[in-house]
Amino acid sequence: RYLATGALLATLLATQPSHSSLLEHLESLAEHPSGLLGKLSSLASSLHASVGAESASYGLFRLGSLSGNHYLGILGTWIKLPAFAAVLPSSRRARGSAAASAASYMCTSSFEPAEQLVLLSVLLHLLWLTRPRCMVRHAVCSLDAVQRGRVWTLLTANASHAAFPHLLHNCIHLLQLGPLLHATLGCSDLLALMLTAALASSAASLLWNGVLGGRPKEGSLGASG
């Protein structure tokens, strides 16, 4: 245990991002048109980041900021931190189907879809620590669970992480890729992609473990799908 902890600390120290990598990350997030206008826009963004961006090392990680946005540098990558000061979603509500209303509610939240999934994953991990038997029943996707009527596990398993390293790994990737996908696809399309990926990964697990493997009680969990 102590060896693993030491190895983790050494890895965090060795892979702490630099301030220059923060500037490169901020530039990669900026969207620029093509042609001369794009080059001028890129130059302006680079100048703004080089002048306004700040970062400070805290030993195992680095914190950066620019224009009110805050970033966490850890394990060689940068993650945009959620705006915890504005937790409550907007009061606007879409009308129509229940699915459209739910999507509108999530898209008017102060958190992006990937950040919402991270927060849900953290909450479910806490439940793994306090209510493990309940989580095995309701947050692990298996053919046996679906056959017994617990079809919600097709979705809940995708935000379920029993082990902290598993949770940390997936949260880092979600917070790293989430803003890029959100900027490219938009909120509604990103939600549709995440839902499709969740159902597809659960279906693949049911097919591999339950149908082909003959292990109906063997389940899957995690946001990797």
Side-chain angles (χ1 to χ4, degrees), residues 169-193:
H169 176 269
N170 283 343
C171 286
I172 287 176
H173 286 289
L174 283 170
L175 291 175
Q176 182 183 24
L177 297 177
L180 297 175
L181 292 173
H182 189 270
T184 303
L185 301 175
C187 183
S188 298
D189 288 345
L190 178 56
L191 283 174
L193 175 62

Side-chain angles (χ1 to χ4, degrees), residues 100-222:
S101 297
S104 177
Y105 181 89
M106 297 179 70
C107 286
T108 54
S109 169
S110 299
F111 296 112
E112 295 180 0
E115 296 171 343
Q116 295 176 40
L117 180 55
V118 166
L119 292 175
L120 179 60
S121 297
V122 171
L123 175 62
L124 292 186
H125 178 67
L126 295 177
L127 290 177
W128 269 106
L129 299 178
T130 57
R131 298 290 187 272
R133 293 181 62 183
C134 178
M135 294 300 293
V136 168
R137 181 175 176 81
H138 297 290
V140 175
C141 180
S142 67
L143 183 61
D144 180 71
V146 173
Q147 289 175 337
R148 291 175 181 271
R150 299 195 296 274
V151 294
W152 53 85
T153 58
L154 293 169
L155 292 177
T156 57
N158 288 269
S160 177
H161 302 79
F164 180 73
H166 188 198
L167 171 70
L168 179 63
H169 176 269
N170 283 343
C171 286
I172 287 176
H173 286 289
L174 283 170
L175 291 175
Q176 182 183 24
L177 297 177
L180 297 175
L181 292 173
H182 189 270
T184 303
L185 301 175
C187 183
S188 298
D189 288 345
L190 178 56
L191 283 174
L193 175 62
M194 292 172 63
L195 178 61
T196 302
L199 293 175
S201 63
S202 293
S205 174
L206 295 180
L207 178 64
W208 180 258
N209 292 321
V211 179
L212 300 179
R215 304 182 299 273
K217 294 187 177 181
E218 185 171 328
S220 64
L221 69 164

